[in-house]
Amino acid sequence: VDNIINGLEITAIGMTVVFFILLVLYAALKTMELVFAAEAQAPETGAEEPAALQRPAEPRAEDGDPDEEAAVAIAAAVAVHRARVGPGAG
Amino acid sequence: MFEKLWLFIESTGFMQMTPGHGLMILISLFLLYLGIGRKYEPLLLVPIGFGMLLTNLPGTGLMAEPILEISGDSLKVERIGGLMHYLYQGDKLGIFPPLIFMGVGALTDFGPLIANPRSVLLGAAAQFGIFTTFIGAILLGYTNPEAASIGIVGGADGPTTVYLTTMLAPHMLAATAVAAYSYMALVPIIQPPIMKLLTTKQERQIVMEQLRPVSQREKIIFPIVVSILVMLFLPSAAPLVGMLMLGNLFRECGVTKRLTETSQNALINIVTIFLGVTVGASASAASFLNWKTLGILALGILAFGIGTASGVLLAKLLNLFTKNKINPLIGSAGVSAVPMAARVSQVVGQQERADNFLLMHAMGPNVAGVIGSAVVAGLMLAIFG
């Protein structure tokens, strides 16, 4: 009888501990689900305001030199022109 | 001349053979047949069977302990000790099972568990088989540490069984390991009748909601959170859970490709060889051929059956209180045996409804069962270790 009582006590403690630890893990997973689901939905629900999206982009500090950009644009235009007219032209 | 010849003849294995050796050799050949001929867990049963064969060939001394003699200040080695004795230290000191767990972690995708946290509860319920068998073993006269080692067979997790048994009842290592790996191989035979018995046709046809996608960031956070939580509550589970989660972190963090590949392949394969061979080598006639071994085999299958039933029944219970129904067939996967138990849920589910895909849903309780059985092992160690 003592052995059975001992076994039952250990079973009760054991199952309680296992369920408790895994319930804590369940709660942690649920919290993660809430946090990451909210994060995943953010772009769809419009994290940025429409007005902000419509505003023209302002020049940023890391943008390139305007002269350099103009040179690149001119070079691209010349390349397109040459492709249309053929090699040797212009 | 004749005397020397006689000495040689006496030193051969034939002259040292006992009926116990003969029987153990037959058992080892049977395990080899199961592994090679029937393909039952061949990666484990082949090394276990061969290790058993090697150490039961008399006179090899493969498991012999070294004999040291201290004379004055010097230490003289009288006998160097057998190869298997040294390899066995990896089991005895609890090194091999956690290393295998690291490989298992590197191979396991915990995404289905993260996507469906209810799976954790099913993995916990399946551990009930361990404790009921523990009581059964005590009633049959086993000591508490022995009963704990037998009960853990119901966790259907080979490395956990080996780890706990070497710590609590090393004399039963071969029997519990053979029981655990054999029953893992027999999952497709043992589980379906229990699953069908405890569920209605309607329940088996439940189609579950598709799992949400899990981000890489969640998968990286998961092993860290599990490690912290489990080890703070149960420090004795650290070797198993810690290595499992380390392997998983290698897999998910995306910056340790070489470590992941090594854990998934070379490391786990090398350690599996050593673990299998040494577990087999620990099975001597004296430790294996007794009534306790038969009891271990019988109680092991009982643990497995109760674990399966508990998972299924908890899934049914959860269905009474939740809106999104769980197919109770995935509850049986809580007994670990990754991924075979999950495959069984899939197969039994598809027998009822061909378009029902339960595999990914069942992987949740399946991997939760691995964590659950490691937690139980840690708990048993904390109580009896």
Side-chain angles (χ1 to χ4, degrees), chain A residues 1-37 39-40, chain B residues 113-115 117-118 120-121 123-125 127-128 131 134-135 138-139 144 212 215 217-218 221-222 225-226 229-230 233-234 314 371-372 375-376 379-380 383-384:
Chain A
V1 175
D2 284 347
N3 281 343
I4 298 172
I5 292 169
N6 182 34
L8 286 171
E9 279 173 2
I10 289 168
T11 300
I13 295 167
M15 283 312 286
T16 308
V17 171
V18 171
F19 263 98
F20 177 74
I21 291 177
L22 293 181
L23 271 172
V24 173
L25 185 58
Y26 171 82
L29 288 176
K30 273 287 180 193
T31 311
M32 269 169 65
E33 189 179 308
L34 288 175
V35 171
F36 287 97
E39 218 170 70
Chain B
L113 175 64
I114 301 168
R118 281 187 297 177
V120 172
L121 303 177
Q127 310 311 318
F128 191 60
F131 289 103
F134 169 76
I135 297 173
I138 287 174
L139 286 175
N144 281 345
R212 72 177 176 88
S215 68
R217 209 186 318 176
E218 284 175 274
I221 292 171
F222 178 78
V225 168
V226 173
L229 284 180
V230 174
F233 283 114
L234 206 57
L314 185 74
I371 299 173
V375 166
V376 175
L379 183 80
M380 294 295 197
I383 298 173
F384 303 119

Coordinates of all heavy atoms in Angstrom, one line a residue, chain A residues 1-37 39-40, chain B residues 113-115 117-118 120-121 123-125 127-128 131 134-135 138-139 144 212 215 217-218 221-222 225-226 229-230 233-234 314 371-372 375-376 379-380 383-384:
Chain A
V1 N 0.8 -1.2 0.0 CA 0.0 0.0 0.0 C 0.9 1.3 0.0 O 0.6 2.2 -0.7 CB -0.9 0.0 1.2 CG1 -1.7 1.3 1.3 CG2 -1.9 -1.2 1.1
D2 N 1.9 1.2 0.8 CA 2.9 2.3 0.9 C 3.5 2.6 -0.5 O 3.6 3.8 -0.9 CB 4.0 2.1 1.9 CG 3.5 2.2 3.3 OD1 2.4 2.8 3.5 OD2 4.2 1.8 4.2
N3 N 3.8 1.5 -1.2 CA 4.4 1.7 -2.6 C 3.4 2.4 -3.5 O 3.8 3.2 -4.3 CB 4.8 0.3 -3.1 CG 6.1 -0.1 -2.5 OD1 6.8 0.7 -1.9 ND2 6.4 -1.4 -2.6
I4 N 2.1 1.9 -3.4 CA 1.1 2.5 -4.3 C 0.9 4.0 -4.0 O 0.9 4.8 -4.9 CB -0.2 1.8 -4.2 CG1 -0.1 0.3 -4.6 CG2 -1.3 2.4 -5.0 CD1 -1.3 -0.5 -4.3
I5 N 0.9 4.3 -2.7 CA 0.7 5.7 -2.3 C 1.9 6.6 -2.8 O 1.7 7.6 -3.4 CB 0.5 5.8 -0.8 CG1 -0.8 5.2 -0.4 CG2 0.6 7.3 -0.3 CD1 -1.0 5.0 1.1
N6 N 3.1 6.0 -2.6 CA 4.3 6.7 -3.1 C 4.2 6.9 -4.6 O 4.5 8.0 -5.1 CB 5.5 5.8 -2.7 CG 6.8 6.4 -3.1 OD1 6.9 7.6 -3.0 ND2 7.8 5.6 -3.5
G7 N 3.9 5.9 -5.3 CA 3.8 6.0 -6.8 C 2.7 7.0 -7.2 O 3.0 7.8 -8.1
L8 N 1.6 7.0 -6.5 CA 0.5 8.0 -6.9 C 1.0 9.4 -6.6 O 0.7 10.3 -7.3 CB -0.8 7.7 -6.1 CG -1.5 6.4 -6.5 CD1 -2.6 6.1 -5.6 CD2 -2.1 6.6 -7.9
E9 N 1.7 9.6 -5.5 CA 2.2 10.9 -5.1 C 3.2 11.4 -6.2 O 3.0 12.6 -6.7 CB 3.0 10.9 -3.8 CG 2.0 10.9 -2.6 CD 2.8 10.7 -1.3 OE1 4.0 10.5 -1.3 OE2 2.1 10.7 -0.2
I10 N 4.1 10.5 -6.6 CA 5.1 10.9 -7.6 C 4.3 11.2 -9.0 O 4.7 12.2 -9.7 CB 6.1 9.8 -7.8 CG1 7.0 9.9 -6.5 CG2 7.0 10.1 -9.0 CD1 8.0 8.7 -6.4
T11 N 3.3 10.4 -9.3 CA 2.6 10.6 -10.5 C 1.9 12.0 -10.5 O 1.9 12.8 -11.4 CB 1.5 9.5 -10.7 OG1 2.2 8.3 -10.8 CG2 0.7 9.7 -12.0
A12 N 1.2 12.3 -9.3 CA 0.5 13.6 -9.2 C 1.5 14.7 -9.3 O 1.3 15.7 -10.1 CB -0.2 13.6 -7.8
I13 N 2.6 14.6 -8.6 CA 3.6 15.7 -8.7 C 4.2 15.8 -10.1 O 4.3 16.9 -10.7 CB 4.8 15.4 -7.7 CG1 4.3 15.5 -6.3 CG2 6.0 16.4 -7.9 CD1 5.3 14.9 -5.3
G14 N 4.5 14.6 -10.7 CA 5.1 14.6 -12.0 C 4.2 15.2 -13.1 O 4.6 16.1 -13.8
M15 N 2.9 14.8 -13.1 CA 2.0 15.3 -14.1 C 1.7 16.8 -13.9 O 1.6 17.5 -14.9 CB 0.7 14.5 -14.1 CG 0.8 13.2 -14.8 SD 1.5 13.1 -16.4 CE 0.3 13.9 -17.5
T16 N 1.7 17.2 -12.7 CA 1.5 18.6 -12.4 C 2.7 19.5 -12.9 O 2.5 20.5 -13.6 CB 1.3 18.9 -10.8 OG1 0.3 18.0 -10.4 CG2 0.9 20.3 -10.5
V17 N 3.9 19.0 -12.6 CA 5.1 19.7 -13.1 C 5.1 19.8 -14.6 O 5.4 20.8 -15.2 CB 6.4 19.1 -12.5 CG1 7.6 19.7 -13.1 CG2 6.4 19.3 -11.0
V18 N 4.9 18.6 -15.2 CA 5.0 18.5 -16.7 C 3.9 19.5 -17.3 O 4.2 20.3 -18.2 CB 4.7 17.1 -17.2 CG1 4.6 17.1 -18.7 CG2 5.9 16.2 -16.8
F19 N 2.7 19.4 -16.8 CA 1.6 20.3 -17.3 C 1.9 21.7 -17.0 O 1.7 22.6 -17.9 CB 0.2 19.9 -16.8 CG -0.5 19.0 -17.8 CD1 -0.5 17.6 -17.6 CD2 -1.2 19.5 -18.9 CE1 -1.2 16.8 -18.5 CE2 -1.8 18.7 -19.8 CZ -1.8 17.4 -19.6
F20 N 2.5 22.0 -15.9 CA 2.8 23.4 -15.5 C 3.8 24.0 -16.4 O 3.6 25.1 -17.0 CB 3.2 23.5 -14.0 CG 3.6 24.9 -13.6 CD1 2.6 25.8 -13.4 CD2 4.9 25.2 -13.5 CE1 3.0 27.1 -13.0 CE2 5.3 26.5 -13.1 CZ 4.3 27.5 -12.9
I21 N 4.9 23.2 -16.6 CA 6.0 23.7 -17.5 C 5.5 23.9 -18.9 O 5.7 24.9 -19.5 CB 7.2 22.8 -17.4 CG1 7.9 22.9 -16.0 CG2 8.2 23.2 -18.5 CD1 9.0 21.9 -15.8
L22 N 4.7 22.9 -19.4 CA 4.3 23.0 -20.8 C 3.2 24.1 -20.9 O 3.0 24.7 -22.0 CB 3.9 21.7 -21.3 CG 5.1 20.7 -21.4 CD1 4.6 19.4 -22.0 CD2 6.1 21.3 -22.3
L23 N 2.4 24.3 -19.8 CA 1.4 25.4 -19.9 C 2.1 26.8 -19.9 O 1.7 27.7 -20.6 CB 0.5 25.4 -18.7 CG -0.7 24.5 -18.8 CD1 -1.5 24.4 -17.5 CD2 -1.7 25.1 -19.9
V24 N 3.2 26.9 -19.2 CA 4.0 28.1 -19.3 C 4.5 28.3 -20.7 O 4.5 29.4 -21.2 CB 5.2 28.1 -18.2 CG1 6.1 29.3 -18.4 CG2 4.6 28.1 -16.8
L25 N 5.0 27.2 -21.3 CA 5.5 27.3 -22.7 C 4.3 27.7 -23.6 O 4.5 28.5 -24.5 CB 6.0 25.9 -23.0 CG 6.7 25.8 -24.4 CD1 7.8 26.8 -24.6 CD2 7.2 24.4 -24.6
Y26 N 3.1 27.1 -23.3 CA 1.9 27.4 -24.1 C 1.7 28.9 -24.0 O 1.4 29.6 -25.1 CB 0.8 26.6 -23.6 CG -0.6 27.0 -24.1 CD1 -1.0 26.5 -25.3 CD2 -1.5 27.8 -23.4 CE1 -2.3 26.8 -25.8 CE2 -2.7 28.2 -23.9 CZ -3.1 27.7 -25.1 OH -4.3 28.0 -25.6
A27 N 1.8 29.5 -22.8 CA 1.5 30.9 -22.6 C 2.6 31.7 -23.4 O 2.2 32.7 -24.1 CB 1.5 31.3 -21.2
A28 N 3.8 31.3 -23.4 CA 4.9 32.0 -24.1 C 4.6 32.0 -25.6 O 4.8 33.0 -26.3 CB 6.2 31.3 -23.8
L29 N 4.2 30.8 -26.1 CA 3.9 30.7 -27.5 C 2.7 31.6 -27.9 O 2.7 32.2 -29.0 CB 3.6 29.2 -27.9 CG 4.8 28.3 -27.9 CD1 4.4 26.8 -28.1 CD2 5.8 28.7 -28.9
K30 N 1.7 31.6 -27.0 CA 0.5 32.5 -27.3 C 1.0 33.9 -27.4 O 0.5 34.7 -28.2 CB -0.5 32.3 -26.2 CG -1.5 31.1 -26.5 CD -2.4 31.5 -27.6 CE -3.4 30.4 -28.0 NZ -4.1 30.7 -29.3
T31 N 1.8 34.3 -26.5 CA 2.3 35.7 -26.4 C 3.1 36.0 -27.7 O 2.9 37.0 -28.4 CB 3.3 35.9 -25.2 OG1 2.6 35.4 -24.1 CG2 3.6 37.4 -25.0
M32 N 3.9 35.0 -28.1 CA 4.7 35.2 -29.4 C 3.7 35.3 -30.6 O 3.9 36.2 -31.4 CB 5.6 34.0 -29.6 CG 7.0 34.1 -29.0 SD 7.9 32.6 -29.0 CE 8.1 32.2 -30.7
E33 N 2.7 34.5 -30.5 CA 1.7 34.6 -31.6 C 1.0 35.9 -31.7 O 0.9 36.5 -32.8 CB 0.6 33.5 -31.3 CG -0.3 33.3 -32.5 CD -1.4 32.2 -32.1 OE1 -0.9 31.1 -31.7 OE2 -2.6 32.5 -32.3
L34 N 0.7 36.5 -30.6 CA 0.0 37.8 -30.5 C 1.0 38.9 -31.1 O 0.6 39.7 -31.9 CB -0.4 38.2 -29.1 CG -1.6 37.4 -28.6 CD1 -1.8 37.7 -27.1 CD2 -2.8 37.7 -29.4
V35 N 2.2 38.8 -30.6 CA 3.2 39.9 -31.0 C 3.5 39.8 -32.5 O 3.4 40.8 -33.2 CB 4.5 39.7 -30.1 CG1 5.6 40.6 -30.7 CG2 4.3 39.9 -28.7
F36 N 3.8 38.6 -32.9 CA 4.2 38.4 -34.3 C 3.0 38.5 -35.3 O 3.2 39.0 -36.4 CB 5.0 37.1 -34.5 CG 6.4 37.2 -33.9 CD1 6.6 36.7 -32.7 CD2 7.4 37.9 -34.6 CE1 7.9 36.8 -32.1 CE2 8.6 38.0 -34.0 CZ 8.9 37.5 -32.8
A37 N 1.8 38.1 -34.9 CA 0.7 38.3 -35.7 C 0.4 39.8 -35.9 O 0.1 40.2 -37.0 CB -0.5 37.6 -35.1
E39 N 2.6 42.1 -35.8 CA 3.7 42.6 -36.6 C 3.4 42.3 -38.1 O 3.6 43.1 -39.0 CB 5.0 42.0 -36.2 CG 6.2 42.9 -36.3 CD 7.4 42.3 -35.6 OE1 7.9 41.3 -36.1 OE2 7.7 42.8 -34.5
A40 N 2.9 41.0 -38.3 CA 2.7 40.6 -39.7 C 1.6 41.3 -40.3 O 1.6 41.6 -41.5 CB 2.4 39.1 -39.7
Chain B
L113 N 4.5 23.4 -34.1 CA 4.2 23.6 -32.6 C 4.0 25.1 -32.3 O 3.1 25.5 -31.6 CB 5.4 23.0 -31.8 CG 5.3 23.3 -30.3 CD1 4.1 22.6 -29.7 CD2 6.6 22.8 -29.6
I114 N 4.9 25.9 -32.9 CA 4.8 27.4 -32.7 C 3.4 27.9 -33.3 O 2.8 28.7 -32.7 CB 6.0 28.1 -33.3 CG1 7.3 27.6 -32.7 CG2 5.9 29.6 -33.1 CD1 8.5 28.1 -33.4
A115 N 3.1 27.3 -34.5 CA 1.9 27.8 -35.1 C 0.6 27.4 -34.4 O -0.4 28.0 -34.5 CB 1.8 27.3 -36.6
P117 N -0.1 26.4 -30.6 CA 0.4 26.2 -29.2 C -0.4 25.1 -28.5 O 0.1 24.5 -27.5 CB 0.2 27.5 -28.6 CG 0.2 28.5 -29.7 CD -0.4 27.8 -30.8
R118 N -1.6 24.8 -28.9 CA -2.4 23.8 -28.2 C -1.7 22.4 -28.3 O -2.0 21.5 -27.5 CB -3.8 23.7 -28.8 CG -4.8 24.7 -28.3 CD -6.2 24.5 -28.8 NE -6.2 24.5 -30.3 CZ -7.3 24.3 -31.0 NH1 -8.5 23.9 -30.3 NH2 -7.4 24.3 -32.3
V120 N 1.1 21.7 -27.5 CA 1.9 21.5 -26.3 C 1.2 20.7 -25.3 O 1.8 19.8 -24.7 CB 2.3 22.9 -25.7 CG1 3.0 22.8 -24.4 CG2 3.2 23.7 -26.6
L121 N -0.1 21.0 -25.2 CA -0.9 20.2 -24.2 C -1.0 18.8 -24.5 O -1.0 17.9 -23.7 CB -2.3 20.9 -24.0 CG -2.3 22.4 -23.7 CD1 -3.7 22.9 -23.7 CD2 -1.6 22.6 -22.3
G123 N 1.2 17.1 -26.2 CA 2.5 16.5 -25.9 C 2.6 16.2 -24.4 O 3.2 15.2 -24.0
A124 N 2.0 17.0 -23.6 CA 2.1 16.8 -22.1 C 1.2 15.6 -21.7 O 1.6 14.8 -20.9 CB 1.6 18.1 -21.4
A125 N 0.0 15.5 -22.3 CA -0.9 14.4 -21.9 C -0.3 13.1 -22.2 O -0.5 12.1 -21.4 CB -2.2 14.6 -22.7
Q127 N 2.5 12.1 -21.8 CA 3.4 11.6 -20.8 C 2.8 10.9 -19.6 O 3.4 10.3 -18.8 CB 4.2 12.8 -20.2 CG 4.8 13.8 -21.3 CD 5.6 13.0 -22.3 OE1 6.3 12.1 -22.1 NE2 5.4 13.4 -23.6
F128 N 1.4 10.8 -19.7 CA 0.7 10.1 -18.6 C 1.1 8.6 -18.6 O 1.1 8.0 -17.5 CB -0.8 10.4 -18.8 CG -1.6 9.9 -17.6 CD1 -1.5 10.4 -16.4 CD2 -2.6 8.9 -17.8 CE1 -2.2 10.0 -15.3 CE2 -3.3 8.4 -16.8 CZ -3.2 9.0 -15.5
F131 N 3.9 7.7 -16.3 CA 3.6 7.7 -14.8 C 2.8 6.5 -14.4 O 3.0 5.9 -13.4 CB 3.0 9.0 -14.4 CG 4.0 10.2 -14.4 CD1 4.0 11.1 -15.4 CD2 5.0 10.3 -13.4 CE1 4.9 12.1 -15.5 CE2 5.9 11.3 -13.5 CZ 5.9 12.2 -14.5
F134 N 5.0 3.6 -14.4 CA 5.8 3.8 -13.2 C 5.1 3.1 -12.0 O 5.8 2.3 -11.3 CB 6.1 5.3 -13.0 CG 6.7 5.6 -11.6 CD1 8.1 5.4 -11.5 CD2 6.0 6.1 -10.6 CE1 8.7 5.7 -10.2 CE2 6.6 6.5 -9.4 CZ 7.9 6.2 -9.2
I135 N 3.8 3.4 -11.8 CA 3.1 2.8 -10.7 C 3.0 1.3 -10.9 O 3.2 0.5 -9.9 CB 1.7 3.4 -10.6 CG1 1.7 4.9 -10.3 CG2 0.8 2.7 -9.5 CD1 0.4 5.6 -10.3
I138 N 6.2 -0.4 -9.9 CA 6.4 -0.4 -8.5 C 5.6 -1.6 -7.9 O 6.1 -2.3 -7.1 CB 6.0 0.9 -7.8 CG1 7.0 2.0 -8.1 CG2 5.8 0.8 -6.3 CD1 6.7 3.4 -7.7
L139 N 4.4 -1.7 -8.4 CA 3.5 -2.8 -7.9 C 4.1 -4.2 -8.2 O 3.9 -5.2 -7.5 CB 2.1 -2.7 -8.6 CG 1.2 -1.6 -8.1 CD1 -0.1 -1.5 -8.9 CD2 0.9 -1.8 -6.6
N144 N 12.0 2.2 -7.1 CA 11.6 3.5 -7.7 C 12.5 3.9 -8.9 O 11.9 4.2 -10.0 CB 11.6 4.6 -6.7 CG 10.4 4.5 -5.8 OD1 9.4 3.9 -6.1 ND2 10.4 5.2 -4.7
R212 N -0.9 28.7 -39.4 CA -0.4 30.0 -39.9 C 1.1 29.9 -40.2 O 1.8 29.1 -39.7 CB -0.6 31.1 -38.8 CG 0.3 30.9 -37.6 CD 0.1 32.0 -36.6 NE 0.9 31.8 -35.4 CZ 2.2 32.2 -35.3 NH1 2.7 32.9 -36.3 NH2 2.9 31.9 -34.2
S215 N 7.3 32.9 -38.7 CA 8.4 33.7 -39.2 C 9.7 33.1 -38.7 O 9.7 32.4 -37.7 CB 8.3 35.2 -38.8 OG 8.4 35.3 -37.4
R217 N 12.0 34.7 -37.3 CA 12.4 35.4 -36.0 C 11.7 34.6 -34.8 O 12.3 34.3 -33.8 CB 11.9 36.8 -36.0 CG 12.8 37.6 -35.0 CD 12.3 39.0 -34.8 NE 11.8 39.7 -36.0 CZ 11.3 41.0 -35.9 NH1 11.3 41.6 -34.8 NH2 10.9 41.6 -37.0
E218 N 10.5 34.1 -35.1 CA 9.8 33.3 -34.1 C 10.6 32.0 -33.8 O 10.7 31.5 -32.7 CB 8.4 32.9 -34.5 CG 7.4 34.1 -34.4 CD 6.1 33.7 -35.0 OE1 5.9 33.9 -36.2 OE2 5.2 33.2 -34.2
I221 N 13.6 32.7 -31.8 CA 13.3 33.0 -30.3 C 12.9 31.7 -29.6 O 13.2 31.5 -28.4 CB 12.2 34.0 -30.3 CG1 12.7 35.4 -30.8 CG2 11.7 34.2 -28.9 CD1 11.7 36.4 -31.0
F222 N 12.2 30.8 -30.3 CA 11.6 29.6 -29.6 C 12.6 28.8 -28.8 O 12.4 28.5 -27.6 CB 10.9 28.7 -30.7 CG 10.3 27.5 -30.1 CD1 9.1 27.5 -29.4 CD2 11.0 26.3 -30.3 CE1 8.6 26.3 -28.9 CE2 10.5 25.1 -29.8 CZ 9.3 25.1 -29.1
V225 N 13.7 30.7 -25.7 CA 12.6 30.8 -24.7 C 12.4 29.4 -24.0 O 12.4 29.3 -22.7 CB 11.3 31.2 -25.3 CG1 10.1 31.0 -24.4 CG2 11.4 32.7 -25.8
V226 N 12.4 28.3 -24.8 CA 12.2 27.0 -24.2 C 13.4 26.7 -23.2 O 13.1 26.2 -22.1 CB 12.1 25.9 -25.3 CG1 12.1 24.5 -24.6 CG2 10.9 26.1 -26.1
L229 N 13.0 28.8 -20.0 CA 11.8 28.4 -19.1 C 12.0 27.0 -18.5 O 11.9 26.9 -17.3 CB 10.6 28.3 -20.0 CG 9.9 29.6 -20.4 CD1 8.7 29.4 -21.2 CD2 9.5 30.4 -19.1
V230 N 12.4 26.0 -19.3 CA 12.5 24.7 -18.8 C 13.6 24.6 -17.8 O 13.5 24.0 -16.8 CB 12.7 23.7 -20.0 CG1 12.9 22.3 -19.4 CG2 11.5 23.6 -20.9
F233 N 12.9 26.1 -14.4 CA 11.9 25.3 -13.6 C 12.6 23.9 -13.2 O 12.3 23.4 -12.1 CB 10.6 25.0 -14.3 CG 9.7 26.2 -14.3 CD1 9.4 26.9 -15.5 CD2 9.1 26.7 -13.1 CE1 8.5 28.0 -15.5 CE2 8.3 27.7 -13.1 CZ 8.0 28.4 -14.3
L234 N 13.3 23.4 -14.1 CA 13.8 22.0 -14.0 C 15.3 21.9 -14.4 O 15.6 21.4 -15.5 CB 12.9 21.1 -14.8 CG 12.8 19.6 -14.3 CD1 12.3 19.5 -12.9 CD2 11.9 18.9 -15.2
L314 N -7.2 13.6 -24.5 CA -7.1 15.1 -24.2 C -7.5 15.9 -25.4 O -8.2 16.9 -25.2 CB -5.7 15.5 -23.8 CG -5.6 16.9 -23.3 CD1 -6.2 17.1 -21.9 CD2 -4.2 17.5 -23.3
I371 N 9.9 17.3 -26.1 CA 10.2 18.2 -25.0 C 9.6 17.7 -23.7 O 10.2 17.6 -22.6 CB 9.6 19.7 -25.3 CG1 10.3 20.2 -26.5 CG2 9.9 20.6 -24.1 CD1 9.7 21.5 -27.0
G372 N 8.3 17.2 -23.8 CA 7.6 16.6 -22.6 C 8.4 15.5 -22.0 O 8.6 15.4 -20.8
V375 N 11.4 16.6 -20.2 CA 11.0 17.2 -19.0 C 10.8 16.1 -17.9 O 11.2 16.3 -16.8 CB 9.8 18.1 -19.2 CG1 9.2 18.5 -17.8 CG2 10.2 19.4 -19.9
V376 N 10.1 15.1 -18.3 CA 9.8 14.0 -17.3 C 11.1 13.4 -16.9 O 11.3 13.1 -15.7 CB 8.8 12.9 -18.0 CG1 8.7 11.8 -17.0 CG2 7.5 13.6 -18.3
L379 N 12.7 15.5 -14.4 CA 11.9 15.4 -13.1 C 12.3 14.1 -12.4 O 12.5 14.2 -11.2 CB 10.4 15.4 -13.5 CG 9.5 15.4 -12.3 CD1 9.4 16.8 -11.7 CD2 8.1 14.9 -12.6
M380 N 12.3 13.0 -13.1 CA 12.7 11.7 -12.4 C 14.1 11.8 -11.9 O 14.4 11.3 -10.8 CB 12.6 10.6 -13.5 CG 11.2 10.3 -14.0 SD 10.1 9.7 -12.6 CE 8.8 9.0 -13.5
I383 N 14.1 13.7 -8.7 CA 13.5 13.0 -7.6 C 14.4 11.9 -7.1 O 14.7 11.7 -5.9 CB 12.1 12.5 -7.9 CG1 11.2 13.7 -8.2 CG2 11.5 11.7 -6.7 CD1 9.8 13.3 -8.7
F384 N 14.9 11.1 -8.1 CA 15.6 9.8 -7.7 C 17.1 9.9 -8.0 O 17.8 8.9 -7.6 CB 15.0 8.6 -8.5 CG 13.5 8.4 -8.3 CD1 12.6 8.5 -9.4 CD2 13.0 8.2 -7.1 CE1 11.3 8.4 -9.2 CE2 11.7 8.0 -6.9 CZ 10.8 8.1 -7.9

